Amino acid sequence: MLGSILVGKKPLVTVGRNSPITHIVALLHEHRIGAVLVMDGDVIAGLVSERDICRCMHLHGKGVHDATAADLMTAPVITADARMNVCDAMAIMTDRRFRHLPVLVGDRLLGLVSIGDLVKRRIEDVEAEAESLKHYIAS
């Protein structure tokens, strides 16, 4: 379940629509993250990822420095329910070609998982299953 992956993760980093891209780049670097959610109060307005910033740099060059979150963000944002399993979330992210997925309980934002978080959890699950099978066979 996606909700359990969020336990122990760093606090979620969010910005407003008018946040300058230079500020967002600083946040990505400071927190060693790949994306920030753009919020309108408690509602997800969009998401700005490293990929969005690179695309804007390619299209607009130095003009990216004058951009805001609203100018670059991906919207609408696909979200997942906290009860969704890891494999289903990985499939969505792979099919839609994005690396960050906000996790909700009802309308309440719980956090953001990355494809790296999901791969890590999947490996842990497979290793635990293999260990259980070893113990079962040995007994």
Side-chain angles (χ1 to χ4, degrees), residues 82-99:
R83 295 169 297 188
M84 179 180 279
N85 70 50
V86 171
C87 291
D88 289 343
M90 289 176 77
I92 290 169
M93 293 170 84
T94 301
D95 291 344
R96 302 298 288 271
R97 299 186 55 82
F98 56 79
R99 296 179 280 188

Side-chain angles (χ1 to χ4, degrees), residues 62-104:
K62 293 180 182 178
V64 70
H65 292 285
D66 299 324
T68 65
D71 297 327
L72 298 188
M73 69 184 185
T74 298
V77 177
I78 306 296
T79 62
D81 185 89
R83 295 169 297 188
M84 179 180 279
N85 70 50
V86 171
C87 291
D88 289 343
M90 289 176 77
I92 290 169
M93 293 170 84
T94 301
D95 291 344
R96 302 298 288 271
R97 299 186 55 82
F98 56 79
R99 296 179 280 188
H100 299 89
L101 186 64
V103 179
L104 307 175

Side-chain angles (χ1 to χ4, degrees), residues 5 9 22 52 110 118 131:
I5 292 174
K9 277 195 69 158
T22 52
D52 294 321
L110 274 185
L118 299 180
E131 192 61 33

Side-chain angles (χ1 to χ4, degrees), residues 41-137:
D42 292 339
V43 177
I44 300 170
L47 183 140
V48 176
S49 69
E50 296 163 321
R51 191 178 283 178
D52 294 321
I53 294 167
C54 286
R55 182 182 66 246
C56 186
M57 287 180 71
H58 174 72
L59 295 173
H60 304 290
K62 293 180 182 178
V64 70
H65 292 285
D66 299 324
T68 65
D71 297 327
L72 298 188
M73 69 184 185
T74 298
V77 177
I78 306 296
T79 62
D81 185 89
R83 295 169 297 188
M84 179 180 279
N85 70 50
V86 171
C87 291
D88 289 343
M90 289 176 77
I92 290 169
M93 293 170 84
T94 301
D95 291 344
R96 302 298 288 271
R97 299 186 55 82
F98 56 79
R99 296 179 280 188
H100 299 89
L101 186 64
V103 179
L104 307 175
V105 170
D107 291 337
R108 187 174 61 88
L109 176 63
L110 274 185
L112 187 68
V113 294
S114 70
I115 193 70
D117 296 330
L118 299 180
V119 169
K120 180 181 178 213
R121 174 56 62 89
R122 186 72 181 117
I123 290 169
E124 290 169 353
D125 290 348
V126 168
E127 287 175 346
E129 185 178 339
E131 192 61 33
S132 292
L133 287 172
K134 283 181 191 177
H135 286 341
Y136 176 74
I137 292 169

